[in-house]
Amino acid sequence: MTALTEELKGGLDAPICLTWELTYACNLACIHCLSSSGRRDPAELSTGEAMAVIDEMQAMQVFYVNIGGGEPTIRPDFFDLVAYATEQQVGVKFSTNGSRIDAATAELLAGFDYTDIQLSLDGADAATNDAVRGQGSYATARTAMDHLAAAGFGPFKISVVVTRQNVAQVDQFEALVDHYGAQLRLTRLRPAGRGADTWHQLHPTNDQQRALYHWLLDRPEVLTGDSFFHLNALGERNLPGLNLCGAGRVVCLVDPVGDVYACPFVLHDDFRAGNVRDPGGFAAVWRTSALFREFREPQSAGACAGCGQFDACQGGCMAAKFFTGLPLDGPDPECVSGHGLDALAAVTPAAVPRSTSNHSKPSSLGSTPVIGSAESTIVTLGPTRHRSPAG
Amino acid sequence: MSASDPVAGGRWRLHPRVALRPEPFGALAYHYDSRKLNFLRSPDLVRVVQNLAHHPSPRAAFDDAGVAEHRWPAFASALAILARSGFIEPSEPNGTTLQDDIDEAAEKASMTAPVPSRP
């Protein structure tokens, strides 16, 4: 473990990597959606409030923000917010399913400086992708990629959540990014949001994890958001990255209603540090919230203390443990040494915590994902979580 | 020593598209063109980097920042890493004539540079 990792555990004055979900509205209903998105929340930040958050990021020197959702491009003010952020020297990388990227939008985006696009794709073919993201979503994403390439946008990113079903397609994903001159990003599936319901079917097997670790070691150019550090226990070499859980230390999430969570994968009241509408705004939440201060204290290795691999894997992902009902100071459910399996077997299903934020559309609950028109999702339905607009 | 190596001397500067953000351990450096991050893990190194352009050579910047001579090899290694990733650059097209004893020292310096870069 490097001294840098130790220093980062004590927290930074501002996050390195801030994820900001602009809306819970989404025209898809992916079965692993970590934010259980679907319907817009009536308490979502207004354009003015969102711009005030950007002003705070600029003042705190948050150099770039990862914008997501929901489908962020559904917001009518989306491009205004992107333009405003980049004017304030806050770079933008946004994730999209591509449904709003037609030829004209691709041209517009190609003219934006300091903006990255991440297109989500969870299968190298339509069958694999659409089983997770909904019928037609593969074709939609590919069409958007074609538009971006035709507009000369440059190297956009293709972002894949690694599953048991698509992990064998990594070479095909690599060929696809080569075809577009794009960049490949692979991230870890978490049992968060609707992902809690599908994680047991979707998460890679241990043999697949081992193959992935070696594949990634050979390809340091593949982006991972540092999400696979639990695999470092598999060998002598660490995957590139910071090798630590950055929750509340170097990363956090701002959700569409302004709630600040420790990371994008823990939309649960236990990990909510405050709201950007609170006095002092985002900076006060980041710097003074009791929750984040707790994360920056030295953490116990707990049940993992006796394992010689703890320095390599850091005990894994907090969110993966929490939403599978495991103690936070014990093994990751996907512990490569198998310690998670015994722990999982001892979990009482009824005691497993659920995300406290759920904006799923009724049609997506327990049914095959379907793609509606983007417009239909802007209709405001009742919030599934009570929160006053004033916060 | 090549013209792109700061330990060879000459006047250097922080790249104009690099921003420094103060942090408890020193500073976080961000390059707006390459979008790379670097951690400057010592307040002394931050001072050196900020003031490079005001000195005829990195060595003079070390001196001015009060960096003890035994730390110069480590600092030279750190600057070499920053130069390779474009975070600092020569401030004059031909400003690489001063040979300092630190370049030799830097070559002998250990590989544990205090400024790891993040991919």
Side-chain angles (χ1 to χ4, degrees):
Chain A
M1 188 185 313
T2 67
L4 177 65
T5 303
E6 288 307 301
E7 283 159 355
L8 293 179
K9 284 180 178 176
L12 297 173
D13 282 2
I16 291 178
C17 175
L18 191 157
T19 300
W20 186 7
E21 294 179 349
L22 281 184
T23 180
Y24 280 119
C26 192
N27 54 317
L28 300 188
C30 305
I31 61 174
H32 61 356
C33 179
L34 57 91
S35 57
S36 304
S37 285
R39 296 177 295 178
R40 192 182 85 88
D41 192 306
E44 287 178 7
L45 300 180
S46 68
T47 304
E49 287 173 319
M51 286 180 171
V53 170
I54 293 167
D55 290 342
E56 275 209 86
M57 291 179 192
Q58 181 198 25
M60 294 173 76
Q61 286 188 281
V62 173
F63 300 119
Y64 60 91
V65 59
N66 299 312
I67 288 180
E71 174 51 45
T73 60
I74 283 178
R75 268 187 76 123
D77 57 1
F78 174 73
F79 291 103
D80 296 333
L81 292 176
V82 171
Y84 185 74
T86 55
E87 282 162 19
Q88 313 305 312
Q89 292 285 293
V90 177
V92 170
K93 180 171 75 181
F94 72 88
S95 294
T96 177
N97 56 39
S99 56
R100 292 289 180 106
I101 301 183
D102 56 17
T105 307
E107 289 284 346
L108 174 73
L109 286 165
F112 273 40
D113 191 24
Y114 203 30
T115 302
D116 276 345
I117 302 178
Q118 221 164 252
L119 278 146
S120 301
L121 198 71
D122 293 332
D125 53 60
T128 309
N129 176 82
D130 293 4
V132 171
R133 304 185 57 81
Q135 196 175 4
S137 58
Y138 178 84
T140 299
R142 288 297 303 271
T143 302
M145 292 174 200
D146 291 340
H147 286 315
L148 287 171
F153 176 83
F156 56 86
K157 296 172 175 66
I158 298 176
S159 188
V160 178
V161 175
V162 175
T163 64
R164 193 174 305 174
Q165 293 74 24
N166 69 22
V167 68
Q169 301 179 327
V170 283
D171 291 326
Q172 289 164 260
F173 286 119
E174 197 175 40
L176 187 66
V177 299
D178 287 346
H179 169 72
Y180 284 114
Q183 252 187 312
L184 182 59
R185 181 173 186 265
L186 300 181
T187 59
R188 183 177 174 193
L189 172 78
R190 267 73 165 212
R194 287 196 292 270
D197 300 323
T198 51
W199 181 82
H200 289 279
Q201 288 77 48
L202 297 184
H203 79 87
T205 65
N206 209 19
D207 284 345
Q208 290 176 330
Q209 293 202 108
R210 185 177 301 276
L212 178 66
Y213 166 74
H214 291 288
W215 194 87
L216 287 172
L217 274 183
D218 291 341
R219 292 166 182 80
E221 73 280 5
V222 173
L223 306 169
T224 63
D226 288 4
S227 62
F228 292 110
F229 62 87
H230 74 295
L231 300 182
N232 288 335
L234 282 168
E236 297 297 311
R237 290 162 62 202
N238 279 359
L239 297 170
L242 291 177
N243 190 32
L244 82 161
C245 166
R249 296 157 158 172
V250 299
V251 307
C252 73
L253 168 82
V254 178
D255 92 337
V257 300
D259 282 339
V260 182
Y261 293 92
C263 89
F265 312 105
V266 283
L267 289 166
H268 188 281
D269 286 343
D270 284 8
F271 300 98
R272 196 173 68 84
N275 189 288
V276 299
R277 287 164 168 149
D278 295 343
F282 173 72
V285 176
W286 176 262
R287 289 173 180 156
T288 66
S289 81
L291 180 73
F292 285 179
R293 285 183 164 180
E294 194 183 316
F295 281 133
R296 295 164 195 167
E297 294 296 317
Q299 306 286 313
S300 157
C304 296
C307 175
Q309 298 293 350
F310 183 77
D311 277 354
C313 78
Q314 298 286 306
C317 171
M318 178 177 78
K321 295 185 235 196
F322 184 75
F323 286 122
T324 50
L326 299 183
L328 299 187
D329 62 348
D332 187 290
E334 293 181 281
C335 167
V336 296
S337 302
H339 301 308
L341 296 175
D342 296 337
L344 279 177
V347 169
T348 309
V352 176
R354 304 280 305 177
S355 292
T356 45
S357 169
N358 187 355
H359 294 76
S360 299
K361 282 178 269 193
S363 62
S364 70
L365 295 174
S367 68
T368 308
V370 288
I371 298 186
S373 75
E375 285 72 19
S376 70
T377 61
I378 298 177
V379 174
T380 301
L381 302 171
T384 49
R385 172 175 61 149
H386 181 73
R387 173 166 295 280
S388 69
Chain B
M1 286 296 146
S2 73
S4 60
D5 190 338
V7 297
R11 194 178 293 272
W12 285 71
R13 65 171 183 174
L14 191 63
H15 191 284
R17 294 277 289 160
V18 170
L20 296 181
R21 184 174 96 192
E23 289 293 347
F25 53 81
L28 192 61
Y30 183 72
H31 200 308
Y32 276 99
D33 288 342
S34 66
R35 298 169 199 189
K36 282 187 160 41
L37 286 169
N38 252 302
F39 297 90
L40 306 190
R41 292 167 58 196
S42 136
D44 288 341
L45 180 61
V46 177
R47 262 203 316 284
V48 164
V49 167
Q50 282 171 327
N51 291 321
L52 275 178
H54 304 310
H55 296 284
S57 71
R59 178 183 176 172
F62 298 165
D63 218 7
D64 186 57
V67 180
E69 275 196 54
H70 73 272
R71 298 174 70 199
W72 287 9
F75 274 62
S77 298
L79 291 189
I81 290 172
L82 290 172
R84 276 203 296 279
S85 49
F87 279 66
I88 61 172
E89 60 178 15
S91 66
E92 299 156 352
N94 302 311
T96 53
T97 52
L98 300 178
Q99 280 288 330
D100 295 319
D101 49 2
I102 57 166
D103 60 356
E104 190 186 344
E107 284 177 347
K108 293 176 184 163
S110 78
M111 292 296 104
T112 55
V115 190
S117 68
R118 183 169 180 267

